[in-house]
Every structure is written in C-alpha cells, then in structure tokens.
C-alpha cells in the first residue's frame, strides 16, 4: 500500500462549540505524508479552532483525531508534540528576555548527565538557523530582534523538533520576500522527507506556489476540499467568501492639482534608520510607502508622530511647524495611527471591547466619570459601521479573529475624527473578504476629504490604492512615483536602490 494514502493526521467530523455558540460543524481534514495542504477561509471561518484541536490545544466537542490511523485524545499540545505534531503560531510565542538558543530548546533542553549540554544545543541551533539562511546569532536576545527575525526563530524552533506534521499559521506575515523564498525551500525539503504540512495563509499567490491540496472553510463549515491543480485564485476567493470578487480595489478618485498640503516632512533623520527623508501629503490622497521590511518606512512615520527619536528634520501641519512629541500630540492635530502590531501596540488584549474602542479618546466619554451609556452607543455604532462580527459582546480583544481585531482597531483610531489616517500594514493576516472591506473604507476616507498614508508590503495594495507611492531603500527615500510609474517593476527598482536617490551609492555598496 502507498504510505501516502494513509493520513499522518486526520480530523473526522470535528465539531466545536464555545458555550452556546458553535464554530465548527462536522469538518473532515486529512494530512498525508509529503504533501502541503492549504487551509483557507475568512477570519472567523474556524481555521484556528480546527488547527488548535488537531495540535492538542483544544478538545473537540465531537468528532475524533487520528494519527497514522490511531485515535488520539490529546490533553495538551505537549502530548501532540510527542506524536510529532508541531504548530507554528501566527502570533509569536517566544520568551523575549531569553536568547535565541534558550527559546529554541525551552522545555526540552539537551543534557549531559545532570548538566545542560550547551555545546550540543548551540550546534543544533546554528544548524537550524543556517538552514533558514538567517544571520541571527544563537546568543542574541529575542527582544533585540526585529519581527521578521523573530519569526525565523519561531520556525527554527519548530523544525528542530522530531516533526511528522507541521502546522504553519500565516508564517510569512512578517517575512521579507527573500525570507519567504527561503521558507518555501525549507517546506520543499520537509516535503521530501515525508513531513505532512498544513499551511494557513490569506496570500493566494503563496498557496499557488507551494500547495498540493486545499481545503476551504466558511462559517465553520467545510465548503470544498481537493487537489489544488486546476483551481484559480479567483475560484478560491469565491469559495472563501461565498461571492464573486471581481474588483478587489475600488476605483480611485482624482486628487485636484490645487489640493492643499495637509502634512509635510522635511529632511527627517532617524539615527540608524532614516537619512534626510522629505515628502508631502495632500488633502484627499492616499500616499503609499513601499520598500522591503527594514527599509525605514515605519521608523520615518513613527518619528514624525513622536513614537521614535528624531535627530533632525521638521514636520509641518497646514504649512505651520508642529512638534509632535507623543501620540497625544498627534491626536490633538487630528492624526490617527493604525499600528502594524495590532496585538502588541494597538489593542489591550485582556481588556473588553468597549474600553478598547474608547481608550484613545477617553476624555470625550468622561463627565467626569465615564458615561457608560454614551460609550455603549459608540460601541454599537462601531459594530455596525465596521461590520465587527461577534458571537457575544462579552469578549476580550484577544478572543476576536484577526480581521475583527483590525476592524476594532480601525474603529478605535477613527473615534478621534481624524483628518489624516496613517495605516501600517492594514491587511496583514486578514482574509480576502475583510481586505476588500478595508480597501473600500480607505476609499470612503478619501471621498470624505481625509488623507491617508498607507505603509504596505503588499505590492497589489500600493498599486491598487495609492495616488502616489514613496519608496524607501536602506533608510533613503529613493523616489516618489505617480501615474504610470506606479507599477511593480518600477517600485521594485526604487526599493532595491537601482533607481532614484542614492542609486549610485547602492550600486557601489
């Protein structure tokens, strides 16, 4: 018998309810050795619940989990890992104060007699990091690493285990394009070793590139499952959202030539991150910021907002100089910032939904005590306006799906009635249906005369939404593109330093 016909991991008729709310309905999923199986669905479709059941984090309400044909009833993720089932979570689960090496072997340290075998752990750590082609040192503290390096450590941590089934939840969300290709090469090697891989991603181009089979969930139900071959991205998107998606990006309105400048940055310097960057933002426009991870986009914008140290440069609002030393100052100037790190910096995860919504503009609800009735009214309006989907309102922010967290964060920053909205990676880890909702919302902002700064690593977003695109490379704003210049080839040439300001310096380097 062909071993590939026997699933390494299988879920049969898996259902799960939380209280009276059922989120999975009789879902079947089979993972075979040497196959990459993509799991697709909108946020809230039940993907995370399903993989948590398969990897031992949750028991099913009904149904069964089988490993190589034998029934399992896991009491913990540790028991699943002992069976070779390893999960890489979308949200990083690293101990920031520990070193890379200590994180990779945390809880399963190698020993020589009574003592830790640090030499063996360091060697295996180096091997895992080398396989991922990352320059991260085993002795580096995780808290000192950037997000993409931390993600690579998380991946290294998983592959150093005796893995038979690897579950990857949005593993490329914070990786550079080069790191994505390194990861895909690793996936190829694991596939050759007979590892079964369950791959969750909202990036349909990635699914096309590496998946053998695909399963689609919608609202907790199994919609379709089968070979990927012969399926288009459009068909997969339709299966996920239950409707045709013909135009992902709404048509752009023209920005008048005489549109006033609402924000200007002049010769901004952020030590080690940005070198004398200047740009303007006009009323009613989307100004995109492109470039690879680490190019300086976030550092530039956060230095303008007072969130990072700025060594030099001037910021002007309506042609008058302003000194934004804290996010409070930005709020007073009606500038809202939607951070790329919605869980770490945007929302208070262990707090309820209403206080998360009103936290940024709390004074508006205090007379002097918090007006709970007004706060509740604002919350209900936000649920309706941003289509925040809740099984119950008695949730913490941590219990929301990624898409609903992003909608809550949007509602939070819009509570200050901003004229300028800065959105950093607006659709990271978000399904295709919610992406379209956010794109339409950005269009509504500019239609209302507001201005948007859009930082995105998604080329399609920059091209589809921006009136102009400012491109950065190694801390230098190499150019600001508009009109027919806004295309993938042109943006990449400026992002790599081949064209624009500093091109000669980049070539010499």
């Amino acid at each position: 018998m062909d071993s590939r016909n026997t699933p390494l991991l299988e879920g049969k008729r898996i259902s799960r309810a939380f209280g009276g709310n059922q989120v999975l309905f009789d879902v079947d999923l089979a993972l075979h050795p040497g196959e990459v199986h993509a799991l697709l669905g909108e946020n809230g479709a039940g993907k995370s619940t399903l993989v948590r059941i398969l990897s031992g984090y949750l028991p099913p309400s009904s149904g069964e989990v089988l490993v190589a044909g034998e029934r399992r009833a896991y009491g913990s993720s540790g028991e699943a890992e002992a069976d070779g089932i390893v999960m890489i979570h979308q949200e990083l689960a690293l101990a920031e104060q520990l070193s890379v090496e200590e994180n990779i072997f945390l809880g399963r340290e190698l020993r020589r007699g009574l003592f830790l075998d640090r030499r063996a752990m360091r060697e295996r750590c180096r091997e895992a990091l080398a396989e991922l082609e990352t320059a991260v040192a085993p002795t580096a503290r995780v808290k000192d690493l950037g997000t993409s390096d931390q993600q690579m450590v998380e991946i290294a941590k998983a592959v150093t285990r005796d893995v038979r089934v690897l579950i990857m939840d949005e593993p490329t969300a914070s990786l550079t394009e080069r790191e994505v290709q390194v990861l895909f090469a690793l996936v190829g090697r694991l596939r050759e070793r007979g590892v079964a891989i369950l791959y969750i991603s909202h990036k349909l181009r990635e699914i096309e590139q590496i998946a053998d089979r695909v399963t689609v969930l919608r609202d907790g139900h199994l919609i379709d499952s089968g070979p990927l071959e012969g399926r288009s991205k459009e068909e997969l998107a339709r299966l996920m959202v239950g409707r045709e998606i013909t135009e992902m990006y709404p048509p752009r309105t023209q920005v008048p030539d005489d549109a006033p400048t609402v924000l200007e940055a002049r010769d901004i310097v952020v030590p080690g991150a940005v070198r004398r960057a200047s740009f303007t933002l006009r009323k009613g426009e989307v100004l995109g910021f492109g470039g690879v991870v680490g190019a300086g986009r976030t550092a530039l914008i956060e230095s303008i907002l007072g969130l990072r140290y700025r060594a030099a440069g001037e910021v002007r609002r309506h042609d008058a100089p302003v000194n934004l030393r804290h996010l409070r100052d930005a709020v007073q100037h009606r500038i809202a910032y939607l951070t790329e790190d919605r869980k770490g910096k945007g929302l208070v995860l262990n707090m309820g939904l209403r206080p998360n919504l009103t936290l940024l503009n709390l004074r508006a609800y205090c007379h002097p005590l918090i007006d709970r009735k007004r706060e509740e009214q604002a919350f209900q309006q936000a649920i309706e306006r941003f289509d925040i989907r809740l099984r119950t309102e008695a949730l913490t922010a941590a219990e929301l799906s990624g898409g609903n967290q992003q909608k809550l964060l949007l509602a939070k920053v819009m509570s200050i009635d901003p004229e300028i909205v800065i959105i950093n990676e607006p659709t990271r880890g978000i399904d295709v249906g919610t992406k379209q909702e956010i794109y339409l919302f950005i269009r509504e902002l500019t239609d209302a005369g507001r201005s948007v700064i859009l930082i995105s690593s998604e080329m399609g977003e920059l091209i589809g939404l921006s009136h102009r695109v400012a491109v950065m490379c190694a801390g230098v704003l190499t150019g600001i593109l508009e009109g027919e210049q806004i295309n993938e080839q042109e943006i990449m040439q400026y992002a790599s330093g081949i064209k624009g300001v500093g091109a000669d310096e980049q070539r010499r380097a």
Side-chain angles (χ1 to χ4, degrees):
M1 173 187 276
D2 186 350
S3 62
R4 288 175 183 264
N5 292 327
T6 304
L8 275 178
L9 178 64
E10 188 173 10
K12 286 190 172 182
R13 301 185 66 80
I14 299 292
S15 294
R16 174 70 199 199
F18 294 92
N21 182 50
Q22 189 159 348
V23 297
L24 284 177
F25 301 82
D26 296 328
V27 174
D28 293 329
L29 182 70
L31 306 180
H32 292 81
E35 279 192 349
V36 177
H37 195 129
L39 180 61
L40 303 181
E42 292 191 272
N43 289 107
K47 304 186 304 295
S48 294
T49 302
L50 177 60
V51 297
R52 289 175 69 197
I53 289 170
L54 294 175
S55 55
Y57 289 87
L58 278 176
S61 299
S62 63
E64 58 183 1
V65 175
L66 296 91
V67 176
E70 297 184 5
R71 194 174 187 278
R72 293 286 192 273
Y74 292 127
S76 69
S77 60
E79 292 180 13
E81 284 197 9
D83 265 346
I85 302 167
V86 179
M87 182 170 175
I88 301 173
H89 297 267
Q90 180 179 355
E91 305 303 330
L92 299 176
L94 299 172
E96 291 194 343
Q97 298 302 320
L98 298 182
S99 70
V100 169
E101 172 189 313
E102 289 166 337
N103 267 277
I104 286 177
F105 290 97
L106 187 62
R108 54 187 192 93
E109 292 82 359
L110 303 181
R111 294 184 177 275
R112 180 183 293 172
L114 297 175
F115 301 98
L116 295 178
D117 191 343
R118 295 192 179 278
R119 179 179 296 178
M121 287 191 290
R122 183 153 303 171
E123 184 58 31
R124 287 188 61 181
C125 178
R126 282 200 181 100
E127 289 172 0
L129 294 171
E131 189 169 24
L132 291 169
E133 298 180 25
T134 176
V136 173
T139 55
R141 298 288 170 188
V142 165
K143 68 182 180 66
D144 297 327
L145 301 178
T147 305
S148 64
D149 283 338
Q150 289 186 10
Q151 182 67 69
M152 295 303 260
V153 172
E154 191 76 75
I155 294 166
K157 177 180 170 183
V159 298
T160 55
R161 288 158 163 75
D162 294 325
V163 59
R164 299 167 68 197
V165 177
L166 181 61
I167 300 172
M168 310 175 84
D169 190 357
E170 297 287 352
T172 66
S174 58
L175 300 185
T176 65
E177 185 60 34
R178 187 195 71 81
E179 289 169 333
V180 169
Q181 295 310 313
V182 170
L183 175 62
F184 286 177
L186 172 64
V187 168
R189 291 192 293 273
L190 292 173
R191 177 197 268 145
E192 290 172 1
R193 296 175 198 167
V195 174
I197 297 171
L198 183 60
Y199 192 92
I200 303 173
S201 177
H202 293 114
K203 300 177 180 179
L204 296 182
R205 284 196 304 174
E206 291 184 359
I207 301 304
E208 280 188 324
Q209 216 174 326
I210 67 167
D212 301 300
R213 300 181 65 84
V214 62
T215 291
V216 180
L217 299 183
R218 190 195 315 145
D219 297 328
H221 294 271
L222 176 64
I223 299 301
D224 197 4
S225 187
L228 178 65
E229 187 177 1
R231 297 172 186 259
S232 66
K233 294 193 295 292
E234 291 73 21
E235 180 188 356
L236 294 175
R238 178 182 57 78
L239 289 169
M240 289 166 63
V241 302
R243 62 184 186 275
E244 296 289 345
I245 297 183
T246 54
E247 292 292 338
M248 180 64 74
Y249 302 102
R252 279 187 296 261
T253 52
Q254 290 296 114
V255 178
D257 292 337
D258 60 351
T261 296
V262 295
L263 184 71
E264 182 179 6
R266 295 181 178 177
D267 296 325
I268 303 297
V269 176
V270 180
V274 179
R275 291 182 279 169
R276 305 190 71 81
S278 302
F279 67 88
T280 59
L281 176 68
R282 299 172 294 178
K283 182 176 181 179
E285 104 170 309
V286 177
L287 176 64
F289 270 81
V292 300
V293 174
R297 300 168 301 170
T298 296
L300 170 60
I301 297 303
E302 291 191 346
S303 74
I304 290 170
L305 297 172
L307 296 173
R308 296 199 190 199
Y309 172 69
R310 186 173 76 241
E314 180 184 36
V315 180
R316 300 179 72 84
R317 180 88 167 90
H318 293 308
D319 206 30
V322 292
N323 184 18
L324 307 180
R325 296 167 298 175
H326 191 277
L327 198 56
R328 289 190 301 268
D329 299 330
V331 169
Q332 289 175 358
H333 285 277
R334 297 184 67 189
I335 303 173
Y337 179 47
L338 192 82
T339 173
E340 63 179 328
D341 184 5
R342 61 178 176 260
K343 294 199 172 190
K345 299 176 182 176
L347 299 171
V348 183
L349 294 182
N350 60 0
M351 188 181 285
L353 306 184
R354 292 173 189 79
N356 261 292
L357 173 71
T358 57
L359 192 60
L360 190 62
N361 196 27
L362 195 57
R363 290 182 181 178
Y365 301 91
C366 296
H367 306 285
L369 300 177
I370 296 176
D371 186 338
R372 300 295 182 188
K373 184 176 180 180
R374 190 175 174 199
E375 187 182 48
E376 172 64 19
Q377 184 181 22
F379 180 62
Q380 294 301 328
Q381 289 173 347
I383 290 176
E384 183 175 350
R385 181 184 180 190
F386 294 92
D387 190 26
I388 302 173
R389 301 177 188 180
L390 310 172
R391 62 176 186 265
T392 171
E393 294 179 13
L395 296 172
T396 63
E399 295 174 285
L400 293 179
S401 67
N404 283 316
Q405 286 180 345
Q406 191 75 333
K407 290 177 181 179
L408 179 62
L409 189 53
L410 270 171
K412 173 184 174 181
V413 301
M414 290 307 297
S415 69
I416 68 169
D417 189 26
E419 288 183 353
I420 297 172
V421 183
I422 301 171
I423 310 178
N424 198 343
E425 302 291 0
T427 61
R428 177 174 287 171
I430 289 178
D431 64 83
V432 65
T434 306
K435 281 185 178 183
Q436 191 178 41
E437 291 180 55
I438 290 176
Y439 298 156
L440 288 170
F441 175 70
I442 291 173
R443 165 67 189 273
E444 290 171 8
L445 290 176
T446 56
D447 283 352
R450 303 179 199 265
S451 304
V452 176
I453 291 177
L454 172 70
I455 304 173
S456 179
S457 299
E458 293 280 341
M459 189 70 72
E461 290 179 356
L462 292 175
I463 296 170
L465 296 171
S466 304
H467 294 93
R468 295 183 297 150
V469 176
V471 188
M472 296 191 69
C473 174
V476 175
L477 203 163
T478 52
I480 298 180
L481 313 180
E482 52 188 308
E484 294 182 358
Q485 288 181 301
I486 301 178
N487 61 70
E488 187 165 352
Q489 182 177 354
E490 200 77 1
I491 291 172
M492 285 307 301
Q493 290 196 57
Y494 279 83
S496 58
I498 296 172
K499 282 188 175 182
V501 176
D504 291 339
E505 180 182 336
Q506 291 292 328
R507 282 194 288 269
R508 287 194 299 269

